[in-house]
Amino acid sequence: MTRAVVSAKGALRWRTGHPWIFRSDLIERPATPPGVVAVHERSGQLLGQALWSPASEISLRLLDRDPAATIDQAWWRNRLSRAITRRDGIDASACRLVHGEGDGLPSLVVDRYDRWLVVQLLSAGMESFREMIVAELLSLTGVEGILARNDAAVRDREGLARNTELLHGEVPREIEVREGGITYLAAPWTGQKTGAFLDQRENRIRVGQVARGRALDCFSYHGSFALHLAARADHVIAVDSSGEALDRAAQNAARNGRSNIEFVEANAFDYLRDAERAGTKFETVVVDPPAFAKNKQSLGNAIRGYHEINLRAMRLLAPGGMLFTASCSYHLTKSRFLEMIEGAAADSGRRLSLRELSGQPLDHPEILSIPETGYLKGALVEAMD
Ligand code: SAH
C-alpha cells in the first residue's frame, strides 16, 4: 500500500486522539490520488491507516489505528453500522446517523430523514470511497433514496466540485419529520445544512416542556422551536429576517393545527430592542441565532452580538419567565459562551438563575480530544423576579 511519513508532531496529534495531520507535518507525501494510505513515523513504525487528500491543508484523516486493519467494504460496513446502531432509540423520524470525526468517519455526514438519507462527503479521501459508502448505507438502512448535499464550501479546499446530486433512488423536495409531539417539513435539496437543524431536536423538545404564557422564538427559521412552544404557551411570536423561512414556518404551523403562532419578518436585533422599549414581557423566550462567529477574527464582534440579543431577551422575561439561549459558533467555546451569558445577566438588571446547560445531542457526538466535533451550546435561564 502507498505510504505517508509524518513528523513527530503529527504522530503526537494522533496519539492524543486527534485524527488530522496537516500538510506541514507530512515528511513524505504519497504519490497517489486520493484514497487510503498507510501512515508511518520517521522511525518506520506504522501508526495506522488514513484518508489521503492531496490538495487539502488537512492531508491525512485517521481511519484506523490498527496496523493490521484493511479499509475494505467490510471495514466500512462495520464502522457505519456502529454509528447507526448508536442512534437506536432516538424518538424522531430524522436524526444524524454519522457525525464525521465524532463517529470515527472523518469528513462524512449522514442524516436520516424518514425513508431517505442526505449525505455530505467533505474530503477528497472520503469522496474516493463514495460507491462503497452508498452501497453499505443502502444495505444497512434500506432507504428509498440518497441525496448528496455536496454543496458545502469546505469542498473547495479539497479540490472537489460543489453540487447537489442524487446518488440513489428518489428523494422528495420536502420530507415530513416527526419530532416529539410535532411534525415539520425538511427541505433536503435546498434547506440549510442537510435540510433542517437536527442538532436542536432535544433542546426544542425540552423547551416545549417548560413553555407557557406569552412566548417568543427569535431566529425561528422553519418555526421548529415555535411549534414546540405553541403546545403549552398561549401565544407564540416567531421572528425571522427571512420571509421565505417564515412561509415554511406558517405551513408547519397549519400542518400541526396550531393557530396561536404569529409570524413576524424582522431583524431580531430590532425586534428585541423595540419590544424592550414598548415594555413587552414574555414568559418564554428562545434565541437561537445563526453562527455569528464565522472565524476566529470575527469572535469579538460575534460576542458583542450574542451579548446584545441575550441582554435584551433577559429584560423581556416576565417574573419567573424562562429563556433558552443557544450558540452554534464553533469559535465561541463553552466557557466563553457561559461568560457571555453571565455578562449579559449582569448588565440586564435582572436576577437570573442558570437552570440547565446543554451541549450536543447523542447523534452529534462531541469527542473531547477533537474540539472540531463540538459547536453547539445551550442554556436555560430563569428570571427569579
Ligand atoms: N431555530 C432554528 C434554526 C435557526 S437558523 C431551528 O431550530 O430550526 C438561523 C435563522 O436566523 C435563519 O432562519 C435566518 O434566516 C435567521 N436570521 C439570521 N439573521 C437574522 C436576524 N438578524 N434577524 C432575524 N433572523 C435572522
Side-chain angles (χ1 to χ4, degrees):
M1 193 204 286
T2 331
R3 56 183 245 148
V5 178
V6 302
S7 70
K9 191 172 154 219
L12 184 64
R13 266 178 89 75
W14 275 13
R15 292 219 165 85
T16 51
H18 200 291
W20 297 352
I21 303 276
F22 292 100
R23 183 189 283 270
S24 53
D25 287 320
L26 258 189
I27 293 172
E28 194 182 310
R29 292 171 64 80
T32 45
V36 73
V37 295
V39 182
H40 296 262
E41 278 191 272
R42 220 198 277 258
S43 65
Q45 195 188 331
L46 184 60
L47 286 167
Q49 322 287 327
L51 290 174
W52 159 234
S53 283
S56 175
E57 278 308 306
I58 305 173
S59 302
L60 300 172
R61 292 172 169 89
L62 179 70
L63 289 178
D64 205 316
R65 282 170 199 284
D66 180 357
T70 319
I71 312 300
D72 54 9
Q73 189 111 19
W75 185 93
W76 287 100
R77 183 179 185 81
N78 179 272
R79 200 49 78 88
L80 288 166
S81 133
R82 265 164 53 194
I84 293 169
T85 312
R86 235 189 117 254
R87 276 69 177 176
D88 283 355
I90 290 183
D91 182 23
S93 64
C95 74
R96 176 153 293 191
L97 295 183
V98 176
H99 182 54
E101 283 73 356
D103 284 296
L105 288 158
S107 67
L108 178 67
V109 169
V110 181
D111 286 345
R112 178 178 202 139
Y113 291 93
D114 195 9
R115 305 194 302 282
W116 299 275
L117 299 181
V118 183
V119 305
Q120 292 181 310
L121 300 146
L122 300 173
S123 75
M126 193 53 89
E127 180 68 63
S128 73
F129 285 97
R130 173 201 285 227
E131 275 165 33
M132 267 188 205
I133 293 167
V134 168
E136 289 310 327
L137 284 174
L138 273 176
S139 92
L140 288 165
T141 63
V143 290
E144 292 173 14
I146 302 183
L147 179 71
R149 276 295 296 274
N150 281 338
D151 50 342
V154 289
R155 293 208 10 138
D156 295 351
R157 295 188 229 160
E158 295 283 324
L160 297 169
R162 284 199 229 175
N163 53 31
T164 298
E165 195 183 339
L166 198 56
L167 301 182
H168 173 83
E170 299 285 336
V171 173
R173 310 297 296 189
E174 292 181 334
I175 301 176
E176 183 177 89
V177 175
R178 182 188 48 76
E179 174 183 282
I182 65 124
T183 63
Y184 67 87
L185 289 180
W189 289 79
T190 54
Q192 300 221 32
K193 295 200 165 195
T194 62
F197 290 97
L198 299 177
D199 50 6
Q200 291 282 26
R201 179 187 60 250
E202 289 175 9
N203 289 329
R204 289 191 288 252
I205 293 173
R206 176 72 189 117
V207 177
Q209 292 164 347
V210 300
R212 63 192 175 82
R214 294 154 293 180
L216 173 65
D217 175 20
C218 288
F219 308 93
S220 188
Y221 189 50
H222 293 169
S224 340
F225 269 102
L227 291 170
H228 285 280
L229 295 174
R232 282 203 175 78
D234 301 326
H235 181 76
V236 184
I237 298 178
V239 178
D240 200 284
S241 56
S242 156
E244 215 176 301
L246 288 178
D247 286 345
R248 204 172 275 271
Q251 286 170 27
N252 283 330
R255 160 179 293 272
N256 287 274
R258 299 276 175 233
S259 51
N260 58 340
I261 310 178
E262 187 185 327
F263 301 94
V264 179
E265 185 177 336
N267 182 328
F269 284 84
D270 298 339
Y271 185 90
L272 288 164
R273 190 193 55 232
D274 294 347
E276 187 190 329
R277 277 200 193 132
T280 317
K281 294 287 174 203
F282 293 93
E283 276 72 29
T284 319
V285 179
V286 171
V287 287
D288 178 28
F292 289 159
K294 300 275 188 233
N295 49 48
K296 234 180 185 160
Q297 293 70 40
S298 61
L299 186 60
N301 277 335
I303 291 178
R304 278 187 285 282
Y306 286 118
H307 179 273
E308 179 175 342
I309 54 167
N310 279 281
L311 165 68
R312 296 198 192 284
M314 287 166 178
R315 286 185 176 155
L316 293 182
L317 290 174
M322 287 282 197
L323 165 68
F324 175 74
T325 176
S327 163
C328 59
S329 292
Y330 162 68
H331 298 281
L332 185 71
T333 59
K334 286 176 212 60
S335 54
R336 298 197 80 167
F337 173 69
L338 188 55
E339 257 170 47
M340 177 279 295
I341 294 172
E342 288 165 352
D347 293 346
S348 71
R350 302 294 300 274
R351 213 161 63 89
L352 299 154
S353 80
L354 182 62
R355 289 280 302 268
E356 289 167 22
L357 272 179
S358 59
Q360 289 177 198
L362 85 85
D363 55 335
H364 291 64
E366 179 179 345
I367 305 299
L368 289 168
S369 55
I370 317 173
E372 293 83 359
T373 54
Y375 59 95
L376 187 66
K377 289 85 48 192
L380 190 65
V381 169
E382 178 187 350
M384 301 299 281
D385 40 42

